[in-house]
Amino acid sequence: MAPMASYRRDLAVRASVDQGLLSPTEPVVALLDTTGIRASAAALTSAFAAVTDATVLHAFAVKAAPLVPVLRLLHDAGLGVEVASPGELALARAAGIPPTHTVLDSPAKTPADLRQALALGIAVNADNLQELGRLDALMASAPTASRLGLRVNPQVGAGSIGALSTATATSKFGVALRDDGARDTVVRAFLDRPWLTRLHTHTGSQGVPLALMAEGVAETYALAEEINRKAGRQQIDTIDIGGGLPVNFDSDEETPTYAEYARLLADTAPGLLDGRYRLVTEFGRSLLAKHGTVLARVEYTKTSGGRPIAVTHAGVQLATRTVYAPDSWPLRILAYDAEGRPRAGETTVQDVAGPACFAGDLLATGRALPLLRPGDVVAVPDTGAYYFAHHYAYNTLPRPAVHGFTLGEDGAVAFSTVRRAQTLDELVQEAGGAEADALLR
Ligand SMILES: *Cc1c(COP(=O)(O)O)cnc(C)c1O
């Protein structure tokens, strides 16, 4: 599996140069490995099918790769979507994802967001008790096909990245179950609302160990059992276990796997999988990260204070987290020559910089790589989630094109444009170009 991914990537880099997708005038592009995405979707589906006969909706967290063709590809592979804003819902609808395969989460849904969701019949997980109050009013006013749930925070603790840990004692998400009296309040909220049939939890993303994720799910399952016991019926019929499988950014190995996590869930909360509950999952990063690669040309090379530096066209606009929090989000850098052939041989410790005008715009510091030369290509793998699809408009740098690729039988690479590059005209429009006189009036 892993060697295949790097083989496909090498061919795609070469073909990007050959076919002119990457060029002196278009010095940065992003690639998506369609075959790899399909393989991850299949691995997710089969991992859960191996541990349960229950119906499982795998709802891709749109946040991780908000690109309409990606959503349609995943839906074609049998997945649904998890959306957390009107914008993400609009993307899901543009991709043709049916309401039955759409779940709305968000800590700040407006009354209009809730009304639209219920009118469409998409599933909604309320974040808090005030939101349940809004749902009460809507439920009283019109019938809906929406399946409704409540997000809880099992407060099992943090992973290694604070900003991505959602199950801490003071997380902003969900109803904090271990707070004084909260559990009883939640149970009562369910008993008072026969239409509230789901529990939702999402224990965190990158940096949260599998055991902690499973513990959060197990706590949520235990609460479902308690509510159903007190209701005297199977009121909660669906448990949404969120996403958060971490991704390995160190190599092409895909670890941990969905299969490991599914087996751990089977050990930690066997009753969850015995068929009484339908399941929803919301994986994002783990479905896409390994299948995206940024390619950037090296524009110049120099030395500064004795340290060689390659100035490339990929920096903070594409790898925002890495540039601002390099210790939490290190990325690999792969070196290719100007024709897109892998560079091998002796390495030199060097910095790989981006194009933005601030000193910290570095993709990698002190990295041992073949000494980069102007015109070389650097590839930044593992950027399919939360990187190039999450453009940061510093220095008015444009969003680069994104191309999907597949390999033919003969090894020929076929590209298909997922998103074209942003034009200068579009940049001007987004910067108030149509209102140039606004501040003179
Ligand atoms: C971000 C998020 C996800 C996806 O997390 P990943 O780490 O990308 O798998 C799923 N559910 C909710 C509620 C989220 O906020």
Side-chain angles (χ1 to χ4, degrees):
M1 181 69 232
M4 277 305 293
S6 62
Y7 169 75
R8 289 197 299 269
R9 183 174 57 227
D10 283 350
L11 289 177
V13 175
R14 185 77 203 269
S16 298
V17 175
D18 277 353
Q19 298 184 31
L21 300 182
L22 185 73
S23 68
T25 52
E26 194 162 346
V28 56
V29 295
L31 305 181
L32 281 172
D33 177 354
T34 308
T35 308
I37 298 172
R38 281 196 185 275
S40 285
L44 171 59
T45 307
S46 59
F48 278 79
V51 295
T52 183
D53 293 329
T55 305
V56 188
L57 172 67
H58 295 292
F60 172 65
V62 171
K63 178 181 65 185
L67 296 164
V68 172
V70 167
L71 306 185
R72 186 165 287 183
L73 169 65
L74 290 173
H75 184 53
D76 189 62
L79 275 55
V81 292
E82 184 262 357
V83 299
S85 71
E88 289 181 359
L89 176 56
L91 300 190
R93 296 183 75 195
I97 315 297
T100 49
H101 286 62
T102 304
V103 179
L104 173 66
D105 297 331
S106 146
K109 305 177 202 79
T110 64
D113 295 342
L114 292 171
R115 212 174 306 115
Q116 182 195 25
L118 267 56
L120 290 170
I122 66 182
V124 176
N125 289 314
D127 178 79
N128 56 65
L129 300 169
Q130 290 176 0
E131 192 179 336
L132 280 187
R134 287 182 175 177
L135 287 174
D136 285 338
L138 289 168
M139 290 303 289
S141 69
T144 176
S146 290
R147 316 292 315 282
L148 304 171
L150 178 67
R151 177 166 180 173
V152 293
N153 170 9
Q155 290 168 299
V156 290
S160 62
I161 305 177
L164 270 68
S165 297
T166 49
T168 60
T170 55
S171 163
K172 74 172 184 179
F173 295 105
V175 179
L177 274 188
R178 292 182 188 176
D179 283 12
D180 253 3
R183 193 182 184 93
D184 291 342
T185 308
V186 167
V187 172
R188 176 51 47 206
F190 273 84
L191 298 181
D192 288 347
R193 293 174 178 82
W195 42 264
L196 199 57
T197 57
R198 294 184 164 196
L199 269 177
H200 173 220
T201 190
H202 170 67
T203 301
S205 293
Q206 191 71 16
V208 177
L210 291 197
L212 197 63
M213 290 168 57
E215 194 185 325
V217 172
E219 295 270 337
T220 307
Y221 161 71
L223 176 63
E225 294 281 273
E226 180 182 338
I227 291 169
N228 286 345
R229 204 164 46 241
K230 289 185 172 151
R233 67 185 182 103
Q234 174 113 18
Q235 176 171 345
I236 294 180
D237 60 15
T238 304
I239 299 181
D240 181 337
I241 66 170
L245 193 77
V247 163
N248 167 21
F249 286 95
D250 290 337
S251 76
D252 283 318
E253 290 303 322
E254 294 193 34
T255 50
T257 62
Y258 291 120
E260 277 169 64
Y261 184 46
R263 282 193 298 267
L264 181 63
L265 286 176
D267 288 343
T268 316
L272 173 72
L273 303 173
D274 67 11
R276 287 172 300 137
Y277 294 95
R278 274 175 260 163
L279 297 178
V280 176
T281 73
E282 303 173 343
F283 295 100
R285 180 177 289 106
S286 52
L287 279 162
L288 258 293
K290 301 303 280 182
H291 312 306
T293 303
V294 169
L295 305 185
R297 282 173 52 96
V298 176
E299 196 65 54
Y300 297 109
T301 56
K302 57 169 75 168
T303 55
S304 185
R307 170 81 58 90
I309 303 173
V311 179
T312 79
H313 286 275
V316 75
Q317 87 276 32
L318 302 170
T320 315
R321 279 184 169 153
T322 297
V323 168
Y324 286 130
D327 295 336
S328 294
W329 298 101
L331 284 169
R332 290 184 288 154
I333 307 285
L334 309 173
Y336 295 82
D337 67 16
E339 273 75 56
R341 289 176 301 227
R343 290 206 37 207
E346 209 181 311
T347 62
T348 305
V349 170
Q350 55 201 300
D351 288 358
V352 181
C357 294
F358 74 100
D361 187 28
L362 297 166
L363 282 181
T365 332
R367 196 68 67 84
L369 293 166
L371 187 63
L372 291 164
R373 304 168 298 216
D376 279 357
V377 175
V378 293
V380 194
D382 310 329
T383 48
Y386 303 100
Y387 279 101
F388 56 75
H390 291 63
H391 190 78
Y392 174 55
Y394 200 92
N395 274 146
T396 312
L397 291 163
R399 283 190 286 268
V402 178
H403 305 283
F405 69 90
T406 52
L407 296 192
E409 297 279 303
D410 53 355
V413 180
F415 290 105
S416 170
T417 300
V418 168
R419 177 186 79 187
R420 57 174 182 70
Q422 197 175 22
T423 65
L424 294 181
D425 280 347
E426 286 165 345
L427 287 170
V428 171
Q429 286 311 307
E430 288 188 20
E435 327 292 342
D437 279 341
L439 301 179
L440 302 180
R441 279 177 216 132

